[in-house]
């Protein structure tokens, strides 16, 4: 799994001119799934994201996690995170999982986040043409690949 994590002041995702998910202070997670991903990747990644100390404490130092600030989370599937640009100028998405594998993994990630946070999270719609709007706070953007554990 690959994840792009953005600390946001606010964020929303719209499909067919209707907002499907909207949050205030928290994290926007863009998630790419590949066939080699497992339940272990889901558990490791969700734990890493929820405990990343990337929110400011009282002294303005990034020392608090999403859990610490009781922030919100918006999860959006994004197969293009697995783009390969090695050959030519048209990206290849061969490493990105097909929906038959990716949708259940995406749903498991949602359930994992909700279980750890003890409340529902906001999401986009898997496979839809989505418009994402955000106010990136910082800006703070972090990329994590579960295959490298970094």
């Amino acid at each position: 799994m690959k994840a792009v994590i953005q600390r946001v002041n606010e964020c929303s995702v719209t499909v067919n001119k209707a907002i499907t998910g909207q949050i205030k202070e928290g994290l926007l997670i863009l998630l790419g799934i590949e066939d080699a991903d497992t339940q272990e990747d889901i558990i490791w990644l969700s734990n890493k994201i929820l405990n990343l100390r990337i929110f400011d404490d009282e002294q303005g130092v990034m020392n608090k996690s999403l859990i610490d600030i009781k922030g919100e989370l918006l999860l959006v599937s994004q197969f293009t995170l697995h783009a390969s640009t090695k050959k030519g100028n048209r990206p290849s998405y061969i490493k990105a999982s097909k929906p038959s594998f990716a949708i259940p993994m995406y749903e498991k990630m949602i359930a994992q986040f909700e279980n750890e946070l003890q409340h529902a999270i906001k999401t986009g719609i898997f496979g839809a043409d989505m418009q994402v709007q955000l106010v990136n706070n910082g800006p703070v953007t972090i990329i994590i690949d579960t295959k490298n554990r970094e």
Side-chain angles (χ1 to χ4, degrees), residues 1-3 5 44-45 48 52 142-146 150:
M1 288 184 170
K2 290 185 181 179
I5 299 127
W44 182 86
L45 184 58
K48 179 60 81 173
L52 278 175
I142 296 172
I143 300 169
I144 297 178
D145 185 338
T146 61
E150 61 174 285

Side-chain angles (χ1 to χ4, degrees), residues 51-146:
N51 290 291
L52 278 175
R53 294 175 11 191
I54 59 173
F55 291 92
D56 292 348
D57 64 14
E58 295 73 22
Q59 287 75 43
V61 177
M62 285 195 284
N63 204 24
K64 290 189 174 189
S65 70
L66 183 73
I67 293 170
D68 294 332
I69 68 155
K70 296 178 176 46
E72 297 181 273
L73 192 148
L74 175 59
L75 181 67
V76 176
S77 63
Q78 189 169 358
F79 75 93
T80 60
L81 292 179
H82 287 289
S84 172
T85 58
K86 188 173 183 177
K87 290 184 178 180
N89 293 317
R90 184 178 184 159
S92 168
Y93 303 107
I94 198 159
K95 287 186 75 177
S97 290
K98 302 285 187 261
S100 60
F101 181 81
I103 291 172
M105 292 298 283
Y106 179 68
E107 290 170 351
K108 288 177 184 179
M109 180 58 92
I110 293 168
Q112 183 68 30
F113 277 133
E114 291 180 342
N115 183 52
E116 290 189 47
L117 291 170
Q118 294 297 296
H119 62 77
I121 67 165
K122 306 297 183 184
T123 67
I125 296 176
F126 189 95
D129 180 16
M130 296 177 273
Q131 285 67 54
V132 178
Q133 293 185 321
L134 68 137
V135 176
N136 190 318
N137 179 351
V140 173
T141 301
I142 296 172
I143 300 169
I144 297 178
D145 185 338
T146 61

